[in-house]
Each structure stands twice: as structure tokens, then as C-alpha cells.
Amino acid sequence: MESQAPTDQENIPMRYRKLGSSDLEVSEISLGSWLTFSGGVEAEQTRACTEAAFDAGINFFDTANVYGRGAAETAWGEILSKHPRDSYILATKVFGEMSDTDSGLSGEQIAKQIDASLTRLQTDYVDLYQAHRFDASVPIEETVEAFQKVVEQGKARYLGFSEWTPEQIQAAIDIAGPDLFVSSQPQYSMLWQAPEAEVFPLCEANGISQIVWSPLAQGVLTGKYKPGQPIPSDSRFASETMNVSKDRLITEPILEAVQRLVPIAEGSGMNLPTMALAWVLRRSELASAITGASRPEQVHANASASGVELSGDVLRAIDEALGDVAVKGPALAPNAQTGVKHR
């Protein structure tokens, strides 16, 4: 089985893609801070992984106010502020519960939370400010106007959203036009292909790029979790603070399918994580794949997937190996809401 993947992936320079209708060029592989830098790993590891990202050509860093209730933003504020502000593209999000009275996408909350995020991040602006989920309890007009005000005030350059349904995306576009948002952040991997059905085409028609999370299915697509074997003690799913989605992903059918992928990758001159990242990047709708890391070597390994292309034979073999374990067709993502409220 042949692939267009080079044998020495370390020598491929990072590639960059335009983020929607913006003037931002983001690295194909980006660094996220969801489960790791919000408290899952120590400060020195966070610093080492972040510096490794710069070394690898990664310029896009994605976080959220709710990750560790400010901990991830604070960590990156300390680290990124030592770099020239124009040397990285910084994204954060708003929606999650920051206190018993602070959550959601009301105008008041968006105004309050952007200022808090900027303080923690030690910057005057973020390049991308995203709605972490949709808030069906707030009129969408209020949410849209509040986000527009953040941009008008110079606190964010561009806007995005995460895990909105097609109905919700279209409602915002109907209010403010297709230039309101430049990015969509859905879960997307070999195991979760749901956005391909409706979200990808709707966004592409409106100039909105995808920056996808969990492209390695929280580490399952590294192949480290074996059917019938204990979870490795040094892995994410062995951690009480990082084992989100364990019950959904650690199943015998999924783990067996993942093991069927391993020889396909090896026969193509790459490892499974590289093939999994190259698989999501095969889609032109993507601007970047957000990866997590707890060690610098993981950052470099993930970055090496940029520019790797998979042949038609490899893509067909992947489909066959996955069988029916992949989620395809429209499906509601974790913590996503349906419906739209209007004034």
C-alpha cells in the first residue's frame, strides 16, 4: 500500500492555512490547553510544551476561560507574554461556568468575560474570540451584538463559535452576514465524522473555516489503548482530571478498530497519530487541527503531520478498518444545545 507520506516527516516544514475570511494564516497543527494546561500537567511542562510549539512552527494557540476556571489562560499569559505579540495567534472562548452566577452568552457576560480573559492572558486583544457553545436561553441577537462590540472595541480581531448546529449558524448569519464569524470549532476525527454532513458545507459556503478539536480522539487514535488490556498508568484516561469521554471512547469495538489502523499507518511509513492528523487535514475546509500535549516530544510529533498527504488507497483502507464504529451523519456534540431564541 502506497502513500504520499515522506519517510522522514521531521523534515517537513509547518504549513499554514488561511482562517476563513480573516487575514490570519494559522499553522495546520495548533496547540490546545483543554485538559492539560488547565491543571492536568505541571507549570514547567506547560512551558516546555508551549516553547516546543514555537520551535515546531506552531503559531496558533487555543484556550478558553473555563479551562481550569482561568488556570489555562493564566498559564499562557505568563508564557506567551514573553514572546512578541505578533509572533502568535491567540484564541480563547466564552460560555462555560466561571462561578455560580457567571456563565452563558448574555451581553453582560460576554463583556465581563472578555476583560477577565485579557487580564489573565496578559494581552490587549485576542486574535479569535469564540462562543464555546450556543446559549439557547439568550436571544441570539443579544449574543451577536455583544460579540460585535468586542471587535469594535479592539478586544478581539475576529469571532468564531464551537459546536453550533446548522440552524444556529444560519440564524447568526441571517442577522449579521457571513463575515461575522471566521471559524467553527467542532469535534472531528476518524471516530467522530459528524460535522462532515452539514456543518462543513454550510460553513464553507459562508467562508468559515474549521479548527477542529480532539483530532486524536483524546489519545485513542495514538493506539496506546489496547483491547482487553489495562489503561496505561501514564495516559490521559488514567488521570482523574483528564479522563473526560472515557466511557464513550474506551470500548472494545473502538479499540479493536483502532488496532486495525496501526498496520495501515506503518505500511505507509508513518505512525498512527500522524496518519490520524493527516486524515483530518485532508479536508480543505480545515484551517487547523488542535492538539493537546503533556510533553514537548508530543508537540513535535504532532507538528510533523503537517503536509503529510494520504493516498486514495490508504483512505479506503482506513474506511474499511473503521467499519461501523465511526459516528457519521448529523449528531449533537457533547454539551451542545439545540434551538434558537429570538427577541
Side-chain angles (χ1 to χ4, degrees):
M1 186 180 301
E2 294 184 356
S3 169
Q4 298 166 30
T7 54
D8 186 2
Q9 291 152 3
E10 294 296 327
N11 293 327
I12 306 175
M14 178 63 66
R15 294 188 184 182
Y16 302 85
R17 299 187 186 185
K18 189 167 178 286
L19 185 64
S21 56
S22 78
D23 63 355
L24 302 176
E25 295 276 341
V26 298
S27 48
E28 287 188 336
I29 301 295
S30 43
L31 187 63
S33 60
W34 170 29
L35 298 171
T36 47
F37 307 153
S38 61
V41 303
E42 298 300 321
E44 283 310 304
Q45 289 172 277
T46 301
R47 184 178 299 277
C49 289
T50 307
E51 297 301 337
F54 280 101
D55 293 342
I58 291 172
N59 73 346
F60 185 35
F61 298 86
D62 179 80
T63 188
N65 63 346
V66 78
Y67 296 164
R69 283 196 173 178
E73 288 183 329
T74 299
W76 265 354
E78 291 288 328
I79 298 165
L80 293 175
S81 62
K82 305 297 191 292
H83 291 262
R85 185 61 186 84
D86 61 0
S87 68
Y88 60 92
I89 294 168
L90 181 59
T92 194
K93 313 181 196 75
V94 57
F95 171 80
E97 186 177 297
M98 295 300 287
S99 75
D100 291 343
T101 56
D102 290 305
S103 64
L105 298 179
S106 68
E108 179 185 8
Q109 275 299 305
I110 290 171
K112 178 179 181 178
Q113 296 303 330
I114 183 62
D115 287 344
S117 287
L118 294 178
T119 298
R120 288 188 292 265
L121 290 164
Q122 300 187 32
T123 183
D124 295 330
Y125 69 94
V126 290
D127 298 283
L128 182 66
Y129 199 42
Q130 304 159 95
H132 207 161
R133 290 295 185 270
F134 189 83
D135 189 344
S137 71
V138 175
I140 188 171
E141 292 86 356
E142 177 181 338
T143 294
V144 166
E145 288 165 9
F147 273 118
Q148 288 175 315
K149 188 171 183 180
V150 169
V151 175
E152 289 165 5
Q153 293 173 332
K155 296 175 181 179
R157 293 177 65 190
Y158 297 103
L159 302 171
F161 57 84
S162 179
E163 302 296 10
W164 284 24
T165 66
E167 177 193 20
Q168 294 160 351
I169 298 166
Q170 189 62 56
I173 291 170
D174 290 344
I175 292 167
D179 291 338
L180 174 67
F181 294 120
V182 302
S183 66
S184 159
Q185 187 174 141
Q187 178 183 186
Y188 182 58
S189 71
M190 289 180 182
L191 299 177
W192 185 272
Q193 303 179 25
E196 289 184 7
E198 296 178 343
V199 172
F200 279 18
L202 174 59
C203 289
E204 185 178 38
N206 289 281
I208 299 170
S209 288
Q210 308 297 321
I211 50 176
V212 303
W213 62 274
S214 204
L216 296 177
Q218 295 180 48
V220 172
L221 286 169
T222 64
K224 73 174 90 173
Y225 302 102
K226 305 290 198 304
Q229 294 186 19
I231 291 173
S233 59
D234 62 346
S235 68
R236 176 175 295 186
F237 285 126
S239 165
E240 287 297 319
T241 59
M242 295 191 288
N243 65 358
V244 179
S245 303
K246 173 183 171 184
D247 293 340
R248 181 175 64 81
L249 288 167
I250 302 296
T251 69
E252 288 298 297
I254 286 177
L255 297 184
E256 288 167 0
V258 170
Q259 290 306 307
R260 292 194 293 269
L261 295 170
V262 173
I264 300 171
E266 292 175 348
S268 305
M270 68 186 89
N271 58 32
L272 181 52
T274 297
M275 186 173 78
L277 291 169
W279 185 91
V280 300
L281 288 171
R282 83 198 191 287
R283 297 289 300 224
S284 62
E285 298 96 336
L286 262 70
S288 190
I290 302 169
T291 59
S294 56
R295 300 189 303 275
E297 54 267 30
Q298 293 173 330
V299 177
H300 285 284
N302 291 336
S304 71
S306 176
V308 174
E309 297 181 9
L310 305 179
S311 70
D313 285 349
V314 169
L315 292 173
R316 285 187 288 273
I318 289 170
D319 283 342
E320 185 176 342
L322 288 172
D324 59 2
V325 303
V327 175
K328 299 184 179 182
L332 201 61
N335 302 315
Q337 301 182 35
T338 58
V340 177
K341 181 178 180 179
H342 288 279
R343 281 183 178 144

